[in-house]
């Protein structure tokens, strides 16, 4: 009898121990199901002329490829600024437009300056772009915020290096009074590389993911509507872009606060 009692006590102890191990994992995910991933936009402002940028570029690629945060669908955008171009190496992917976008974030965060590498999470948090643990914490936090649903549906590819996409944005969540929720369409290209011959990264072969190729505002989302925005967009692909490495990203962003309310993405189909 005493052996049976001992076996029962052991079984009960094993059950309690196993549930104790499981429970913290459920708490860490803050109720987010492992099967439902919430889109989070991770932007990296970088430059091939900046010697501290390659580790941040590598981190962005890791976040995109590994998707390490339970409950988050990380959508990456690598934006090459142009203010390094006169310092020894002209970045072939740089644009004044991306520098201007970074300046808008600087104004919203009241930071007073721009720098590289800078990572911005959903327009809500910014930090030095090579800080992996901080990036993971901020992505997890962003995935816990209620999001506006964004659907990006591709149509058949056109014969002239174009493709049509249908964009649907659900009811706005978290929009601030007096702000405007703008709908933006970005085109990115991955698997890019450069053999840098001058500047701080001379001699390095740099690789990039999700490089921003084009960005345009396609409208604004109307507060209160169940479908706050719907429309078709024809995307043109430049001849130098490889179609199989190209993606379309649509996000809803408040004009003043710069907070991103929701996002969706789609690969460009062959």
């Amino acid at each position: 009898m005493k052996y049976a009692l001992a076996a029962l006590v052991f079984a009960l102890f094993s059950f309690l121990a196993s549930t104790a191990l499981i429970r913290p994992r459920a708490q860490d995910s803050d109720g987010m199901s492992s099967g439902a991933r919430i889109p989070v936009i991770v932007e990296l402002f970088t430059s091939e002329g900046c010697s501290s940028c390659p580790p941040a570029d590598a981190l962005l690629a890791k976040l995109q490829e590994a998707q390490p945060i339970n409950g988050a669908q990380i959508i990456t955008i690598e934006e090459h600024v142009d203010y390094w171009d006169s310092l020894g190496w002209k970045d072939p992917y740089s644009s004044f437009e991306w520098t201007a976008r970074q300046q808008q974030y600087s104004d919203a965060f009241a930071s007073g300056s721009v720098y590289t590498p800078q990572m911005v999470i959903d327009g809500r948090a910014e930090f030095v772009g090579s800080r992996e643990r901080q990036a993971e914490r901020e992505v997890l936090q962003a995935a816990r915020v209620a999001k506006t649903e964004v659907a990006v549906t591709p149509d058949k590819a056109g014969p002239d290096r174009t493709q049509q996409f249908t964009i649907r944005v659900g009811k706005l969540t978290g929009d601030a009074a007096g702000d405007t929720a703008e709908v933006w369409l970005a085109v990115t290209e991955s698997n890019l590389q450069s053999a840098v011959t001058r500047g701080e990264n001379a001699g390095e072969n740099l690789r990039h993911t999700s490089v921003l190729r084009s960005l345009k505002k396609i409208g604004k989302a109307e507060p209160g509507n169940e479908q706050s925005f719907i429309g078709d967009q024809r995307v043109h692909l430049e001849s130098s872009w490889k179609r199989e490495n190209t993606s379309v990203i649509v996000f809803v962003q408040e004009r003043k606060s710069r907070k991103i309310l929701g996002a969706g993405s789609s690969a460009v189909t062959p």
Side-chain angles (χ1 to χ4, degrees):
M1 181 68 178
K2 64 180 181 181
Y3 295 110
L5 180 61
L8 180 61
V9 170
F10 179 79
L12 179 60
F13 176 81
S14 299
F15 173 76
L16 292 174
S18 65
T19 56
L21 290 173
I22 293 172
R23 188 174 296 113
R25 294 181 183 178
Q27 291 173 344
D28 287 345
S29 67
D30 197 31
M32 292 186 296
S33 167
S34 59
R37 289 182 173 266
I38 307 300
V40 175
I41 295 287
V42 177
E43 297 177 74
L44 177 67
F45 293 95
T46 185
S47 172
E48 289 189 344
C50 159
S51 62
S52 58
C53 286
D57 299 344
L59 173 57
L60 191 76
K62 180 180 178 180
L63 293 173
Q64 174 68 38
E65 295 164 8
Q67 295 291 324
I69 309 302
N70 183 37
Q73 176 198 352
I74 300 174
I75 301 174
T76 58
I77 304 177
E78 187 173 291
E79 299 166 54
H80 291 238
V81 298
D82 70 341
Y83 48 81
W84 281 89
D85 286 359
S86 60
L87 301 176
W89 175 255
K90 180 173 173 54
D91 188 329
Y93 309 114
S94 66
S95 171
F96 173 74
E97 291 182 68
W98 317 153
T99 300
R101 180 168 174 80
Q102 187 184 31
Q103 184 61 58
Q104 290 177 325
Y105 277 129
S106 176
D107 295 341
F109 291 125
S111 60
S113 63
V114 295
Y115 65 92
T116 55
Q118 182 189 33
M119 193 167 281
V120 178
I121 310 295
D122 261 354
R124 299 172 183 271
E126 66 86 19
F127 50 90
V128 175
S130 54
R131 294 178 179 172
E132 184 170 1
R133 290 186 178 180
Q134 186 169 3
E136 292 177 348
R137 288 197 303 268
E138 296 293 353
V139 168
L140 180 60
Q141 183 65 31
R144 290 170 171 165
V145 176
K147 295 294 173 64
T148 299
E149 292 186 7
V150 179
V152 184
T153 306
D155 201 345
K156 290 182 180 180
D160 52 351
R161 294 192 62 82
T162 65
Q163 183 158 12
Q164 184 105 340
F165 291 84
T166 298
I167 316 299
R168 289 184 174 86
V169 178
K171 189 173 183 178
L172 289 178
T173 58
D175 55 312
D179 213 333
T180 301
E182 299 177 328
V183 184
W184 290 85
L185 187 149
V187 179
T188 63
E189 185 180 5
S190 294
N191 298 326
L192 295 172
Q193 59 181 332
S194 291
V196 180
T197 59
R198 297 183 302 277
E200 292 188 1
N201 289 315
E204 298 291 332
N205 187 19
L206 303 181
R207 299 179 181 274
H208 306 292
T209 189
S210 304
V211 173
L212 185 59
R213 287 303 207 172
S214 70
L215 178 67
K216 68 173 183 177
K217 184 172 65 176
I218 59 175
K220 64 179 183 177
E222 298 296 338
N225 294 349
E226 291 300 318
Q227 287 280 338
S228 60
F229 177 89
I230 184 169
D232 294 328
Q233 289 291 317
R234 184 166 294 278
V235 175
H236 174 73
L237 305 178
E238 298 290 342
S239 59
S240 60
W241 305 349
K242 292 186 177 180
R243 193 182 195 101
E244 65 272 19
N245 297 333
T246 308
S247 296
V248 168
I249 301 167
V250 176
F251 57 89
V252 182
Q253 185 166 37
E254 291 181 337
R255 181 188 297 169
K256 296 177 183 177
S257 76
R258 310 308 297 164
K259 292 178 181 177
I260 292 176
L261 306 181
S265 64
S266 171
V268 172
T269 59

